[in-house]
Amino acid sequence: MTLQDGVRLASLIGASGFVLGLHLMNSPATARRGNQLSALGMLVAVVAVLVEVGHGGTMSAARWLVLISGALVGGAAGLYSARTVAMTSMPQLVSLFNAVGGGAAALIAVADYQHEPSVSAGTATATVLDVLIGCVTFSGSLIATAKLQGYLSQPVSFPGSRASSAVLTLVVAAAGIDVIAGADNAWILLIAVVAAVGLGILMVLPIGGADMPVVISLLNAFTGTAVAMAGFVLQNATLTIAGALVGASGGILTKLMADAMNRSVLSIIAGGFGTGASGIAPVAAGGGNVKSIAIDDAALQLAYASKVIIVPGYGLAAAQAQHEVRELAELLEQRGVEVSYAIHPVAGRMPGHMNVLLAEANVPYDQLREMEEINPEFDRTDVALVIGANDVTNPAARRAGNAVSGMPILDVDHARSVVVIKRSMASGYAGIDNELYSDPKTSMLFADAKKGLASLVAATKAV
Amino acid sequence: MSTGFIGDLTIFVLALLVGFEVISKVPATLHTPLMSGANSIHGVVLVGVVILASFVNGPLGYLLTFIAAAFAAANVVGGYAVTDRMLQMFRKRPVPAKPAEQEAGR
């Protein structure tokens, strides 16, 4: 077996590790092993390529130095942020990793072109796509990170932003066609880089906070595609396979998130929540009577229920009240109450975010239930406890003609009674009143999620 | 176009299909670790950076390689570490609920 064969075999092992690792993610019981298997595949692939270039005889001391020092700096920074990041900030970190992954893929295309621009039309197309997608992902993900971190007021739009995007698209297209046609000039590619970076910024700036789960998923799919394109440029199958896997994953999640909000990906990119349904009269129930409830009464209701469903939204995480909610759930379970959590797909800032936040607070994963699975159970539920969730519980979504129409919701109003912990009557991202709040069986517990839950725990202990 | 390109395209499309098949079976509970895990997989771009390092020249080439190496290494190391950190938090119910306390509150 030649060295070349050995390297190819190692790449095959690496790619298999990725696929099997993703496969094991189909259950929380095996997911951690899956991730470790994937990491092992990565290690094999990286060691193999190091051995290959080491034997290739082209690695000078300077090249090794540049490669190793860069990898050490990046690796240390990556490890530090992975160890220290708060689970609520996970979307920012994932977005940042999207940025660096896409950026690295684009840099590969640029450096490869700068080294030797005379390539076949197929490779040149891959180079252009790599630069375009990689740069859009890089700048777009950085903007998304800034928004999630709260550095940027969201959404940002300015007059002429759409025209600027159109101009930049034309510039990228013209430069790209020039490169594919065989232009032997690194400056043309540089123009494409600058225009694509600008395009990424303009793409994410006008997008609102509620649409973040879709944007992160889409940028994740972009990064995967950029890496696959880098595989075409370098004619390396490992990169192509891994990139395609990530592209598929990001694509599926983008679709799921957009469906969960009943929005098309295109309308989200076009910007602004509810822009498609603007100018619609306020929902009829807007002025309905709202009933508030005292802590002790709410505690009694919960303690003497036989089935309680907790509906957490991002407001719960924002108030850092995950531990209090778990404490309350455990207390109720000790009294023999059946407790589960109903998780809407967009409860959080990225796909599945709420599950991680509750898992961190030691909520067992078999209590975390998906929307389709738990919706039929609301009919048999004594109390639905809604904490920090709003639009995803609005029954108005079942009717046509308002900002949440058609959005899949949790059937909270089917429960025998509903307790909503909320600071005020302020509306959610959709900007409309929640009809659930004026439902006769709903009681509002006006409090901050953390303080409200802490007093509920105390009151329940006293029951 | 060379056969090399068509070969790469074949691999790309097949991997995409495998990806759709495998990932559509991941439950919504694990979507964050899935995305983070997929994130670490695109850290494979580090392999590309190693290949790049074997032929670049000049200050610009070295600079681009250095940045690309830092980006890719941050992606791959951070991605796997944070995914592992998340997944170890997903636990089963530690012990079955005590039956002695079942009658209370009914």
Side-chain angles (χ1 to χ4, degrees):
Chain A
M1 196 171 74
T2 65
L3 178 74
Q4 189 83 42
D5 288 340
V7 169
R8 285 198 179 144
L9 213 55
S11 304
L12 177 63
I13 294 172
S16 309
F18 301 154
V19 174
L20 293 173
L22 286 172
H23 172 69
L24 289 177
M25 286 257 188
N26 65 13
S27 152
T30 54
R32 191 174 182 202
R33 203 148 25 95
N35 185 54
Q36 287 162 349
L37 191 63
S38 171
L40 196 67
M42 183 67 70
L43 189 68
V44 170
V46 171
V47 168
V49 75
L50 284 173
V51 170
E52 188 185 22
V53 299
H55 278 72
T58 60
M59 285 300 279
S60 61
R63 285 170 173 168
W64 276 121
L65 184 72
V66 167
L67 178 67
I68 292 173
S69 58
L72 283 180
V73 170
L79 191 62
Y80 176 78
S81 38
R83 289 260 169 88
T84 54
V85 68
M87 286 300 146
T88 38
S89 303
M90 191 55 68
Q92 288 94 304
L93 187 67
V94 166
S95 196
L96 206 57
F97 287 156
N98 276 340
V100 291
L107 284 170
I108 286 179
V110 172
D112 181 72
Y113 188 80
Q114 182 239 354
H115 171 74
E116 191 187 14
S118 50
V119 281
S120 75
T123 317
T125 310
T127 303
V128 170
L129 287 176
D130 187 352
V131 166
L132 169 63
I133 305 170
C135 290
V136 166
T137 314
F138 177 69
S139 58
S141 297
L142 287 182
I143 298 291
T145 309
K147 287 194 162 211
L148 289 161
Q149 191 71 35
Y151 291 152
L152 270 177
S153 64
Q154 45 188 308
V156 182
S157 58
F158 58 91
S161 70
R162 211 156 284 187
S164 317
S165 299
V167 170
L168 288 177
T169 310
L170 285 177
V171 171
V172 173
I177 290 168
D178 212 15
V179 169
I180 295 168
D184 192 358
N185 190 339
W187 285 105
I188 294 174
L189 198 67
L190 190 67
I191 292 172
V193 167
V194 174
V197 166
L199 208 53
I201 296 173
L202 289 179
M203 187 181 97
V204 181
L205 267 184
I207 296 176
D211 290 329
M212 274 305 162
V214 180
V215 174
I216 298 181
S217 310
L218 188 66
L219 289 168
N220 189 230
F222 277 11
T223 315
T225 316
V227 170
M229 289 305 132
F232 278 81
V233 171
L234 297 173
Q235 306 201 328
N236 180 294
T238 317
L239 258 66
T240 309
I241 294 171
L245 291 173
V246 181
S249 158
I252 288 179
L253 291 174
T254 309
K255 174 91 174 54
L256 286 176
M257 292 301 108
D259 287 353
M261 297 195 298
N262 191 35
R263 310 245 289 135
S264 77
V265 177
L266 271 180
S267 72
I268 289 166
I269 299 298
F273 193 101
T275 41
S278 58
I280 284 174
V283 184
N289 281 328
V290 171
K291 193 172 64 184
S292 70
I293 190 173
I295 298 271
D296 290 340
D297 296 333
L300 272 177
Q301 246 190 56
L302 288 167
Y304 289 102
S306 65
K307 183 172 169 65
V308 170
I309 296 182
I310 299 173
V311 182
Y314 192 74
L316 174 87
Q320 293 289 330
Q322 302 95 299
H323 288 274
E324 282 77 8
V325 79
R326 191 253 313 147
E327 210 183 330
L328 178 66
E330 280 180 0
L331 212 58
L332 292 174
E333 284 196 306
Q334 281 164 19
R335 296 183 59 94
V337 182
E338 183 192 341
V339 183
S340 33
Y341 296 79
I343 317 278
H344 192 274
V346 292
R349 294 293 172 86
M350 67 182 290
H353 193 196
M354 187 53 65
N355 298 286
V356 172
L357 296 172
L358 290 172
E360 189 194 18
N362 283 324
V363 174
Y365 60 74
D366 50 348
Q367 279 187 324
L368 305 171
R369 312 278 298 275
E370 297 176 23
M371 180 171 63
E372 291 84 8
E373 188 193 342
I374 196 135
N375 262 347
E377 292 188 20
F378 278 105
D379 289 314
R380 295 184 279 113
T381 301
D382 300 302
V383 186
L385 179 63
V386 180
I387 312 156
N390 193 344
D391 294 334
V392 298
T393 63
N394 194 343
R398 300 196 192 103
R399 285 199 321 269
N402 60 65
V404 292
S405 292
M407 178 167 143
I409 55 164
L410 290 160
D411 295 331
V412 175
D413 58 328
H414 288 195
R416 275 173 214 126
S417 66
V418 180
V419 175
V420 178
I421 302 184
K422 205 172 179 305
R423 267 182 307 192
S424 68
M425 287 298 288
S427 51
Y429 279 121
I432 62 169
D433 287 324
N434 191 341
E435 292 177 11
L436 180 72
Y437 302 161
S438 48
D439 190 310
K441 60 185 171 191
T442 302
S443 327
M444 304 293 294
L445 181 58
F446 289 108
D448 164 77
K450 197 182 179 83
K451 284 184 200 138
L453 280 166
S455 358
L456 256 185
V457 167
T460 308
K461 275 183 187 154
V463 170
Chain B
M1 277 182 213
S2 63
T3 47
F5 178 76
I6 299 294
D8 285 343
L9 192 64
T10 308
I11 291 172
F12 177 68
V13 173
L14 290 179
L16 208 57
L17 295 175
V18 168
F20 278 126
E21 198 56 35
V22 171
I23 288 146
S24 53
K25 298 200 171 63
V26 177
T29 316
L30 289 176
H31 276 166
T32 293
L34 167 68
M35 188 182 281
S36 163
N39 230 313
S40 354
I41 291 178
H42 67 56
V44 76
V45 71
L46 183 60
V47 167
V49 178
V50 173
I51 297 172
L52 187 69
S54 71
F55 62 72
V56 287
N57 278 313
L60 180 62
Y62 288 152
L63 180 68
L64 293 180
T65 307
F66 177 84
I67 300 173
F71 277 6
N75 187 170
V76 74
V77 176
Y80 280 115
V82 83
T83 310
D84 190 64
R85 200 180 134 204
M86 264 191 280
L87 287 172
Q88 70 180 8
M89 299 184 320
F90 280 87
R91 268 180 281 253
K92 267 201 174 122
R93 204 177 285 266
V95 278
K98 288 171 200 135
E101 290 169 357
Q102 287 288 336
E103 73 280 359
R106 290 269 176 172

